[in-house]
Amino acid sequence: MVSLSTWVRYIAHKLEYSASIGWKNYTGGQITDTQLGDAVWKNLFQGKLTYMHWNKGEQMAPTIAGKAVTLVRKIPIADPKTVFVGDVVVLKDPEKADNFLVRRLTAVEGYEMVSTDEKDEPFVLEKEQCWVAADNENLKAKEANDSRKFGPVQMTDIVGRVIYCLRNAVDHGRVENSDFSMQKDSPVLEVELDVDEMVKSQKD
């Protein structure tokens, strides 16, 4: 049973999301000013804040391994105020336009990046840049397919934050993100998590 306070926090998150996605579409020229209000209300009452993403590979093991089903919170406008270092994010693959990767956000704009290879010069991440890494420490950079291979990525390439992972019907739970995100995502998880639906989608 979801408490009243959780519902209030959830609706506040929905309103924030609906306004953000509406404004993004408006400034991008996808909708007119007369359609903006309708878009906000439609997202508020009909839209969900999460979607399911199917993982492949061992890059994020042990956090997310094999053919796991994850629940992802949508991030309409990714910036240092909406996603944080330590978050497990879904981002557009910088090397394959139609593909998405799940990686952990390890640095954002302003961070100085220092390589373990002394031949590489240190550098500072520029505005709207970020650095993502695989959790699996047993993989080499090429296998991990993260920023060590393709370099910094744009924050705007991040489309969501992974908040729950289902490996099988008895092995599932919250994904460890930054403390701030864990608190922020709690009401969304309480309202929208449907483990039975995730199990069903894994079997399909």
Side-chain angles (χ1 to χ4, degrees):
M1 185 76 179
V2 180
S3 68
L4 179 60
S5 62
T6 297
W7 272 109
V8 170
R9 288 166 61 208
Y10 172 72
I11 291 168
H13 284 306
K14 282 204 80 173
L15 186 58
E16 179 186 13
Y17 171 80
S18 301
S20 295
I21 197 74
W23 183 251
K24 183 180 180 182
N25 290 336
Y26 173 69
T27 55
Q30 294 168 289
I31 58 174
T32 64
D33 50 357
T34 53
Q35 295 172 313
L36 179 58
D38 291 340
V40 170
W41 286 109
K42 184 178 180 182
N43 276 308
L44 181 61
F45 291 110
Q46 297 178 1
K48 292 184 74 175
L49 297 178
T50 60
Y51 66 93
M52 283 187 281
H53 177 82
W54 289 263
N55 181 72
K56 294 176 183 175
E58 299 296 323
Q59 287 89 348
M60 287 302 292
T63 308
I64 303 166
K67 295 181 179 179
V69 181
T70 62
L71 188 68
V72 179
R73 179 171 179 179
K74 301 172 188 174
I75 307 287
I77 302 172
D79 59 36
K81 296 177 182 176
T82 55
V83 285
F84 308 91
V85 170
D87 288 354
V88 176
V89 297
V90 177
L91 67 147
K92 297 172 186 174
D93 188 334
E95 297 179 328
K96 294 180 183 176
D98 59 345
N99 192 41
F100 290 88
L101 302 175
V102 176
R103 299 292 182 269
R104 193 174 295 276
L105 184 66
T106 57
V108 295
E109 59 184 64
Y111 274 58
E112 183 179 20
M113 308 305 295
V114 180
S115 175
T116 53
D117 188 340
E118 293 180 0
K119 291 181 287 185
D120 294 335
E121 289 288 326
F123 64 94
V124 175
L125 292 176
E126 297 176 4
K127 187 173 174 59
E128 297 184 359
Q129 283 188 334
C130 62
W131 194 266
V132 295
D135 274 7
N136 193 337
E137 296 177 356
N138 297 322
L139 299 180
K140 294 178 181 177
K142 189 175 181 181
E143 298 168 323
N145 194 25
D146 57 18
S147 285
R148 289 172 296 168
K149 177 188 172 193
F150 48 69
V153 294
Q154 296 297 308
M155 289 287 283
T156 49
D157 286 341
I158 295 173
V159 298
R161 177 168 51 242
V162 182
I163 60 177
Y164 202 88
C165 175
L166 182 139
R167 297 164 195 85
N168 55 57
V170 294
D171 183 11
H172 52 85
R174 288 195 74 170
V175 171
E176 194 70 32
N177 288 307
S178 65
D179 291 342
F180 188 79
S181 292
M182 295 285 281
Q183 292 176 10
K184 197 173 182 181
D185 296 335
S186 287
V188 177
L189 198 59
E190 281 192 58
V191 174
E192 296 198 4
L193 176 64
D194 187 338
V195 173
D196 290 340
E197 186 65 27
M198 292 178 76
V199 171
K200 183 175 179 292
S201 73
Q202 194 178 43
K203 290 178 180 177
D204 291 344

